[in-house]
Structures are given as C-alpha cells and as structure tokens.
Amino acid sequence: MKFALSTLSTAVMTVMLMGLSVATSANANMDNVESQNDVPPVTVTQIVNADDERQTGAATAVQTDTTLSVDDNTAINGSASTMHSQGIEQQSRLATLIDPITHKAVDNSYPLEVSSFLSLEQAQNILLQVSPKLAANEAAIAASQYQTDALKTIDNPLVFARVSASAYHVEEDIDLSSLKNGIVNEINNSVDEVIPPIPPTTDLPNFGELVGERLPDSYDFNRSGSTTGAGIGVVWPIYTAGRTTALTGASDARTQEAVADSLLDKNELYNTLIERYFKAQLAIIAAYLREDAYDTLQQTDHMAERLFEEGFISRVDRLEAQSALADAKSESVNANNDARLAMIALQRLLRTDYRIKPTTPLFVSSRPLPDVSYFQDLALANHPGLQKVAAKRAQAQQLHALSDTGYKPTVMLYGYGQVEKDPSWVAGISATWKLWGGLDKTASLASSNAQIRQADLSEIEVSDNLLLLVEKNWHDINNAQSRYQALQSNVDLAAEVLRLRQLGLQEGVNTTVDVVQAQTQSLKARTEQAQAANSYVQALAALMQSCGTPLAFNTYLNAADIQLPILYSE
C-alpha cells in the first residue's frame, strides 16, 4: 500500500496524526482494506454512437473485463474536451462488449482506461463516461432532436408514384326472364297505341312475341382479362397557417426540456459522487483513527501487564485494560469494514471491478464565503430547474399557436398524371376550412392559455424554493466551518490530556481507566473534527448543486487552506 499525507499546517498535522509513531499497526490494518483491491486487470468500456456526431461529445460508458493492470495508474486527463477527443480517436475500435455488473452486451463501445487511484476531478470526468443514466438521457435528447428534424420537412412537396396491375375473371348466369316479359309487354302496348284500329278480319303479327322469341331467358356471362396502370402525383401544402412552425417549435421545446432533465441528473450525479468520494475519505480516516487508538491501547495494556506483575496495580485495573483493548479491536474491525463499504459504494458509481482509492483529501476553508445573494443570483441564472420550466412554457406557447390555426385554412397544390400511351392528368389548387366538428377550438385555446399560466406560476414557485435552498446550504457551510474551527481546541486539549495520562500511568499517578478515558476523548475529538470537515464538504457540494454550477466545487477545493490527511496517493 502506498501511504502518504497531504500538506497540513503544523497544528493540524500534530493533532490528526498524533499516533504516527505507532502507525505501523494501523498501516497493516489498512492493508486489509487494500488487499480487497487486488483484482485481475480491468478496464472500463465507453459507449459512443457511431452514427451520430452529436452523441460523440456526450459519450457514455459501462465497463468490461480486458487487459489493463491497475498498477499502471493511468492518468486520466482532467479536461472534458480531451475525453471528447479520445472518444473520436477510438471510434475505429468500436466493438460489442459485456458489462461485468449486469452482463448485458453493449454495442458501439471502446475501452477506457481507469486508474485505481483517482482524484475528485478525475472521478468526475470518468463519471460522465460510465454513467448509464447519462447515456439514457443523451439518447432521449437525440431522439427528440431527430423528431424535430423530421417535422421540419412536413411542408415540403410530397411526390408519389402509383403502379397497379390486376387480373379479373367474372362468371355469372343472369336470369333475363323478367326483363324479357317486360320488353314483350312494352312492345305490345306500344303497337296498340301506334297502329290504328283495323277490321277484325285482318291478321296482324304479334310483334311482342316475335321480339321475345329472339331474347333468351338467361345469359351466361363469362369474362377474363387483366389491366395495368401507372402514374405520378404531387401534393404541396403551400399554406398551413403556421401549423408546421408550431409543431416544430413544440418538438424543439421538448428537446430543451430533455436537455434540462439531463442537466438535473448530471448535477445530481456530481453531488452523489462528492458524497460517496468524501464519505470514503472520512471512513478511511475513521479506520485509521480507530487503528491508532487500538495501537495506543495495546501499549497501555502492555504497560498495565508489567505494572500488575510488579504489584503496582490491582487485578481490576489489569482487567479494565484488557477489556478496553478488546473493545478497541472490535471498533477497529468495524471501522475497517465501514471503509470497505464506502469504497465499494464509490466503486459501484464509477462501475469498476476494483476499489477506487480517493486521493483528494477532505478540506475546510477558513475564508468566509461570498454573500448569500451572490449564490442566489447564480441559482436564478443557471439552475436547470428553471430551464425546464422555461421549456414547459415554450411548449405551451407553441400549443397555443397550433390551436389558433384551427380558424385558418389549409391551401394545397396537387397534380396527378398517368403514364400511358394517351396519358391523362389532373392538377389544381384546393383550400379547406374546418367549419364544425373535431376538437373544440375555443376549449383548446383556453387549455393552452392555462398551461402558459401554469408555467409562469411554476417559475415563481421554483425560484422561491431555490432561493430558500441556497440560503439553507449557505448557512450549513458556515455552521460546519465554525464547528470545525471550534473543535480544534477540543482536539488539542484531548491530545495533551492523553499524553499526561500516559506519563502518569508510567509514574503510577494515573490508572489504566484514566488512560482509556483520555484515549476515548481524544478519539472522539479527532473523529468529530473529521466529521465536521465532511459536513463542510457535503454542504458546499449541495450549495453548488442548488446554484446549478456543481463543478464550481473544484474551485473552492483548490483554494482551501486546510486539508485533512489522506492515506492513498499515486
């Protein structure tokens, strides 16, 4: 294990690492945490969309087993633009790889090297590449953008071709008897009306019967054949009263909403990373402090054993020392397990098969923060929640414009021509109005107006909540800062009391109980101060998230004048 300490002021170094002279035991126990990190070589897999250049800059990733040794400690470039360039360069090696956590195949992916030792900034850059949630958001944004692109051509002329070929066969026995009788009767009646009366002796032919004899009682109809046809037509909506513009605008506003949702998720992931990253640091420090306390009590127990053998202390004092040592060992084991769990949580977030060892220390700045109004202005200008509300309002406005087109006509040019030896064609212009029926235009307009009002009122509510949230987080930072500084005197006092109690035990002035109590107070003071530092860090991350500028956290980190020790360094 690589053991290193960050640069601290002399006072803080003295307080936090008072047991450094006996850190060998603590170092050995922390090796138990690191021993779990020795795993076969692994690498993380980054996914890109080979068909969409817009997706390359926001490439996302999962992980797979390949051939990178964790001992390489490959440096991850802190620049997001470098990550983008790396994605473009490696597109030639796209492949289908397997996510080792879910065992699902991931197309269009390439290996991304990740060191087991990561600073916070490196972890932030890796997070953008390995988060399935961000990948899903990018896919949603791309889908919405493509929908908008598809709607942009809805007003273009539509040219179509029609080709048909058919065959037919008709066979039917048609009954003509009723038709025949009707014709005979009609002829007879007509003859009677046209020919004047003649003497009865004259024998005229029966014209109806003569015609009827030539007509069959039935007819067997049987026909077969085929037909073919082809033609080209065009339809061009030259005036749609703004329907296309409204539909395209609504789709574009949905894209903006998807972007705002993606920013909200990204900011939340940044905050989750900071939470897990520095909780892991806190757990590692707590494990070290517990190990330091255990080592100190081992010395106390050894001294108590010698004093008991020489008759300077009673058996009760000896048993109290043994009991305190057993408790310290149990607490040390628990602290090591908590540290492992915290490191696993960070590992899962970054989707690696091995433990991530944080190299950025917990920190506190003694400098005062800018006024709360500065952060509130940042929140009103940058928070994605307000961007989402603005996207909702834009959608409502476009729906209002779409509803308003119900009172206006649609004008279209059309034409169709057949492709034949003697072709025929038709062309013209048409205008249509909806006079009645379908959606109620008045109710539709009222609905869109209500949605616009809803968005306006939601913006007021979201702004109020953001201002209050920023105020709360700002005060949390100040409280944690003052808490950390106030605990410094407790740490100094507890350290001095422990030193005196240990000397008193050697001189026979103090008992083992006195030493154990002093050790407990020292451990408590040091742990509370580390917890206060973590509270400061978490409150600062929450403030930056509520301002919509989560990466501004790094600026305060780099400017901090107090840094706690770290146990891992590249």
Side-chain angles (χ1 to χ4, degrees):
M1 183 190 75
K2 300 179 182 179
F3 183 89
L5 298 176
S6 61
T7 304
L8 297 176
S9 62
T10 304
V12 176
M13 180 73 77
T14 304
V15 170
M16 295 302 299
L17 298 180
M18 191 186 259
L20 191 58
S21 60
V22 291
T24 304
S25 175
N27 192 16
N29 229 4
M30 287 307 295
D31 282 338
N32 293 334
V33 176
E34 186 177 1
S35 64
Q36 306 295 326
N37 303 331
D38 299 330
V39 295
V42 245
T43 195
V44 171
T45 300
Q46 178 167 345
I47 305 169
V48 298
N49 189 338
D51 299 325
D52 184 5
E53 292 182 359
R54 288 178 299 188
Q55 291 292 89
T56 305
T60 53
V62 294
Q63 124 195 12
T64 188
D65 295 331
T66 53
T67 56
L68 169 68
S69 171
V70 295
D71 294 331
D72 291 342
N73 297 333
T74 306
I76 305 299
N77 196 309
S79 170
S81 60
T82 303
M83 292 290 186
H84 171 70
S85 302
Q86 180 187 20
I88 297 177
E89 293 171 359
Q90 298 197 33
Q91 284 191 32
S92 59
R93 292 182 284 163
L94 293 176
T96 298
L97 302 174
I98 305 298
D99 176 22
I101 297 177
T102 62
H103 304 292
K104 292 185 178 295
V106 183
D107 298 329
N108 297 331
S109 56
Y110 61 83
L112 175 70
E113 296 179 349
V114 179
S115 171
S116 61
F117 294 87
L118 288 181
S119 67
L120 176 64
E121 186 174 358
Q122 290 171 335
Q124 288 169 336
N125 290 327
I126 294 299
L127 180 65
L128 293 181
Q129 326 240 352
V130 302
S131 170
K133 189 171 188 178
L134 294 182
N137 288 341
E138 290 298 330
I141 293 172
S144 183
Q145 288 174 336
Y146 284 131
Q147 288 175 355
T148 302
D149 293 341
L151 288 171
K152 288 178 180 178
T153 61
I154 197 172
D155 272 352
N156 291 356
L158 172 63
V159 180
F160 62 91
R162 185 186 68 85
V163 178
S164 66
S166 61
Y168 65 89
H169 174 77
V170 180
E171 183 176 357
E172 183 66 30
D173 186 9
I174 303 174
D175 184 10
L176 300 178
S177 59
S178 60
L179 179 62
K180 176 181 177 181
N181 293 334
I183 292 175
V184 170
N185 294 333
E186 186 66 26
I187 290 175
N188 290 335
N189 294 334
S190 298
V191 170
D192 292 341
E193 293 176 0
V194 173
I195 299 177
I198 58 176
T201 56
T202 305
D203 187 12
L204 295 177
N206 189 332
F207 293 102
E209 290 182 2
L210 291 175
V211 174
E213 291 175 356
R214 295 179 177 274
L215 295 176
D217 292 330
S218 64
Y219 179 74
D220 186 13
F221 184 82
N222 193 337
R223 292 290 186 274
S224 297
S226 63
T227 61
T228 59
I232 296 178
V234 59
V235 177
W236 187 1
I238 58 175
Y239 178 72
T240 59
R243 293 183 185 90
T244 302
T245 303
L247 288 173
T248 305
S251 181
D252 189 61
R254 283 194 295 270
T255 301
Q256 298 306 314
E257 182 182 359
V259 171
D261 285 333
S262 180
L263 284 175
L264 284 169
D265 289 339
K266 184 183 294 185
N267 292 354
E268 183 179 353
L269 277 173
Y270 276 137
N271 193 62
T272 301
L273 174 64
I274 290 174
E275 178 184 0
R276 295 190 184 184
Y277 190 95
F278 287 106
K279 276 188 175 180
Q281 281 286 33
L282 178 62
I284 291 170
I285 290 176
Y288 170 79
L289 292 177
R290 288 290 179 182
E291 199 56 45
D292 186 20
Y294 175 66
D295 186 80
T296 301
L297 288 176
Q298 277 185 313
Q299 296 184 27
T300 302
D301 179 73
H302 179 68
M303 187 178 300
E305 182 180 11
R306 292 179 54 190
L307 292 174
F308 175 71
E309 291 173 352
E310 295 174 3
F312 288 103
I313 63 174
S314 66
R315 180 172 177 79
V316 172
D317 292 335
R318 176 70 188 100
L319 291 175
E320 287 176 343
Q322 290 179 329
S323 176
L325 182 63
D327 289 342
K329 182 176 182 179
S330 175
E331 292 295 335
S332 177
V333 171
N334 292 341
N336 273 276
N337 290 336
D338 291 342
R340 289 192 192 95
L341 182 60
M343 294 173 74
I344 288 174
L346 180 60
Q347 166 192 337
R348 289 288 182 263
L349 186 62
L350 297 178
R351 304 189 70 78
T352 64
D353 274 346
Y354 49 86
R355 303 282 166 77
I356 296 299
K357 302 165 188 174
T359 61
T360 299
L362 282 165
F363 65 92
V364 175
S365 176
S366 61
R367 303 182 185 91
L369 286 173
D371 189 73
V372 66
S373 60
Y374 166 77
F375 297 104
Q376 289 175 333
D377 291 340
L378 279 180
L380 294 178
N382 298 290
H383 198 277
L386 291 174
Q387 298 175 22
K388 182 174 181 177
V389 172
K392 287 286 190 182
R393 190 181 195 283
Q395 292 179 55
Q397 288 176 324
Q398 295 301 329
L399 289 176
H400 180 81
L402 182 62
S403 300
D404 193 39
T405 62
Y407 294 98
K408 300 175 183 178
T410 299
V411 181
M412 302 179 66
L413 293 177
Y414 64 89
Y416 182 77
Q418 291 182 329
V419 182
E420 297 176 354
K421 182 178 180 181
D422 297 319
S424 58
W425 57 271
V426 62
I429 184 171
S430 68
T432 58
W433 285 263
K434 188 185 78 169
L435 300 178
W436 183 82
L439 294 177
D440 188 313
K441 294 178 288 187
T442 303
S444 182
L445 285 171
S447 173
S448 58
N449 281 326
Q451 289 178 339
I452 293 174
R453 178 173 174 78
Q454 178 189 13
D456 290 338
L457 296 176
S458 295
E459 181 179 7
I460 296 174
E461 180 187 11
V462 171
S463 299
D464 288 344
N465 291 338
L466 276 177
L467 295 178
L468 182 59
L469 181 61
V470 168
E471 183 93 23
K472 172 189 175 299
N473 293 332
W474 187 81
H475 284 295
D476 287 345
I477 293 175
N478 290 328
N479 293 340
Q481 182 186 61
S482 61
R483 172 70 174 165
Y484 180 90
Q485 294 170 341
L487 286 171
Q488 185 62 51
S489 59
N490 292 354
V491 172
D492 294 339
L493 175 62
E496 182 64 18
V497 170
L498 176 60
R499 186 183 71 83
L500 293 176
R501 293 292 185 268
Q502 289 173 329
L503 291 175
L505 180 63
Q506 294 177 2
E507 300 296 330
V509 177
N510 297 116
T511 65
T512 55
V513 174
D514 296 331
V515 175
V516 169
Q517 290 176 344
Q519 177 63 46
T520 302
Q521 289 300 318
S522 176
L523 175 63
K524 179 181 178 182
R526 296 159 73 187
T527 302
E528 286 179 347
Q529 192 177 44
Q531 290 172 342
N534 182 60
S535 297
Y536 177 88
V537 167
Q538 302 301 338
L540 180 60
L543 177 62
M544 295 300 103
Q545 182 187 11
S546 62
C547 291
T549 56
L551 291 181
F553 176 91
N554 296 356
T555 303
Y556 291 90
L557 185 158
N558 296 329
D561 55 343
I562 301 173
Q563 293 184 340
L564 274 66
I566 55 175
L567 291 165
Y568 292 116
S569 177
E570 293 189 52

